[in-house]
Amino acid sequence: MFGTPTQLKRHKFGINLLLFLELFGAIFIGTGLWFASRTKIDPSWIRTQGEVINIMEGNYYSGGRHSSIRPTYYPIFRYSVNGQSYQFSREWSSSEYPVLGSKEEIAYNPNRPDQAKAVESTGGWIFLLLFPLLGTAVVVLAPILFIRSSKRS
């Protein structure tokens, strides 16, 4: 208790941490933009209802303290264009089990009706936007923290 007072040491925000955070942020931005581009639907595509006719099951590993392998589901949709029936599977899996026979909005290419995508809900888009937003925040904040740390030293 008595003797020389101890001072708290501030950790330096070094160039290595700055570069790591910039790379981390760039990866998040790129991943988010890539996912968003994959789910974006061309405005010329025609929207219609697709019916869930089958479900493919996949697995993902949930790491951490209570890690396990958990199922994910890919609904397979059927839709018709001019009397011709087409099928496709959603590109992204979900942990929520789809209901067979349920209807969801899809969009297909009028020039190639065999090309289709499921229309993402608002919640899905918000989730997809979190990646580039988080990445942008890291890319912007890292240099600010680095400069503040450099001025303190």
Side-chain angles (χ1 to χ4, degrees):
M1 285 238 169
F2 298 103
T4 58
T6 58
Q7 288 185 341
L8 292 176
K9 276 188 149 185
R10 288 186 185 256
H11 291 282
K12 275 189 153 184
F13 193 104
I15 191 76
N16 289 339
L17 184 56
L18 172 67
L19 294 174
F20 172 77
L21 289 175
E22 291 294 315
L23 178 63
F24 178 81
I27 289 170
F28 259 64
I29 292 169
T31 301
L33 294 176
W34 181 77
F35 278 124
S37 72
R38 297 280 306 217
T39 58
K40 185 178 181 190
I41 295 174
D42 188 304
S44 68
W45 285 27
I46 298 171
R47 292 177 183 234
T48 188
Q49 292 291 310
E51 179 183 0
V52 177
I53 60 165
N54 202 353
I55 300 160
M56 291 189 314
E57 189 172 323
N59 293 309
Y60 80 94
Y61 175 75
S62 66
R65 188 174 198 195
H66 302 288
S67 60
S68 64
I69 295 176
R70 299 194 178 171
T72 59
Y73 307 100
Y74 298 85
I76 298 173
F77 296 96
R78 179 176 49 215
Y79 62 101
S80 296
V81 178
N82 299 327
Q84 175 70 38
S85 183
Y86 298 95
Q87 294 180 14
F88 77 98
S89 172
R90 179 179 281 145
E91 291 186 43
W92 317 116
S93 65
S94 170
S95 59
E96 186 177 313
Y97 193 83
V99 178
L100 283 173
S102 65
K103 306 277 187 189
E104 287 191 35
E105 186 177 23
I106 62 139
Y108 67 89
N109 183 345
N111 299 322
R112 292 210 37 217
D114 60 322
Q115 291 180 338
K117 293 181 181 182
V119 176
E120 290 297 324
S121 65
T122 305
W125 271 103
I126 290 172
F127 179 75
L128 287 175
L129 289 176
L130 284 177
F131 277 89
L133 290 175
L134 179 63
T136 301
V138 170
V139 165
V140 169
L141 286 175
I144 293 169
L145 295 173
F146 176 75
I147 291 167
R148 286 181 62 191
S149 176
S150 297
K151 285 183 179 182
R152 280 194 305 254
S153 302

